[in-house]
Amino acid sequence: MIPGSRSARIQALVAEQAALRGARVGVLDVCTAAVAALPVGGAGMSAMSRDRASHPLCSTDSVSQHLEELQLTLGEGPCVDAYALGSTVLCPDLLAGELQRHWTVFADAALEAGARAVFAFPLRIGAVSPGVLDLYSSSSVELDAEEVADAMAFADAATSILLDARISETGVPFDTHAAGTDRPDASPFDDLGGYRAEIDQATGILMVQLDVGFEEAFIRLRAHAYARGTRISVVAADVVAHRLRLPPDTAPSDIRPPETRPPDEES
């Protein structure tokens, strides 16, 4: 297939989803179009950055929403690896032994959440990489070459939308169609980017409270969420509302991302 024709077809599918919502094209439309076109059950997208807290942008359903939060809380998973490596990460079966060893916590947690296969596609144009598109299936499935190419085209479409919205590569929130607006068709998964300000604010509060740098403060926030089995956005909300204060001598749990390398390169 001619690359240009693929791109045009994918853009048309995304525009069709926006028309069904009666809204301008956004990253949620990329996710819903990808689910409709590919053999997957759901899709999610997260804004990623090397110098600011990453955060979910949008998801098509509760499972994909949970997967986005889960990976950012644990600091491991296909999304994390795809961003770090700058390349596609395909996981057709999370029960595979090498994946269980590579993602010692995420693999079982994702299976429990209802995902059997997960595919992650970095959003990238040149040196700009604002995030990752994740697709999941409740059953084991392999994407063929054409489906992988289509998924990459969906990721390219998402990147263009984010850049058109004047997003910097540090990950300022992209989509203005937030849940809780006056749009009657607003979806609760329409703009998970609303979590971003709260996560950033909570990280800043912890930097002052604990007298640590940004990375350490975010690790503490993430570790607290992981240790209590809750979402990082919930912990961030508690910190911002002063319902939670971490003691200065609290050591972060060892949940830093494992050395990132493609699963098939593991020994």
Side-chain angles (χ1 to χ4, degrees), residues 111-218:
L111 287 165
E112 184 177 351
R116 178 73 179 271
V118 183
F119 310 98
F121 301 86
L123 311 183
R124 178 180 292 274
I125 292 183
V128 178
S129 181
V132 176
L133 168 66
D134 289 320
L135 308 174
Y136 87 89
S137 171
S138 59
S139 58
S140 175
V141 62
E142 292 196 25
L143 301 182
D144 63 28
E146 284 296 308
E147 290 164 341
V148 169
D150 279 354
M152 294 174 69
F154 279 115
D156 289 344
T159 309
S160 296
I161 290 170
L162 300 187
L163 296 182
D164 287 345
R166 297 179 181 178
I167 298 307
S168 69
E169 53 181 309
T170 54
V172 176
F174 313 120
D175 203 340
T176 57
H177 301 299
T181 65
D182 57 1
R183 290 191 302 113
D185 62 336
S187 162
F189 311 112
D190 208 0
D191 185 15
L192 297 180
Y195 292 159
R196 174 48 183 268
E198 206 157 46
I199 292 175
D200 272 352
Q201 188 178 354
T203 304
I205 290 173
L206 292 180
M207 288 174 65
V208 175
Q209 288 181 354
L210 304 176
D211 191 24
V212 296
F214 177 85
E215 182 180 3
E216 181 72 9
F218 183 57

Side-chain angles (χ1 to χ4, degrees), residues 11 14 50-51 62 64 79 87 145 149 162 173 191 221 225 241 247 255:
Q11 289 177 12
V14 173
R50 300 189 186 280
D51 57 0
S62 59
S64 55
C79 175
S87 60
L162 300 187
D191 185 15
L221 184 70
I255 59 169

Side-chain angles (χ1 to χ4, degrees), residues 2-61:
I2 300 173
S5 64
R6 185 189 305 277
S7 176
R9 176 170 59 82
I10 295 302
Q11 289 177 12
L13 293 175
V14 173
E16 181 181 0
Q17 292 297 324
L20 291 174
R21 287 199 304 134
R24 65 191 178 106
V25 172
V27 290
L28 178 62
D29 302 307
V30 175
C31 289
T32 53
V35 173
L38 298 168
V40 296
M45 198 178 300
S46 287
M48 307 287 287
S49 173
R50 300 189 186 280
D51 57 0
R52 296 185 65 181
S54 301
H55 69 103
L57 280 175
C58 64
S59 296
T60 59
D61 62 295

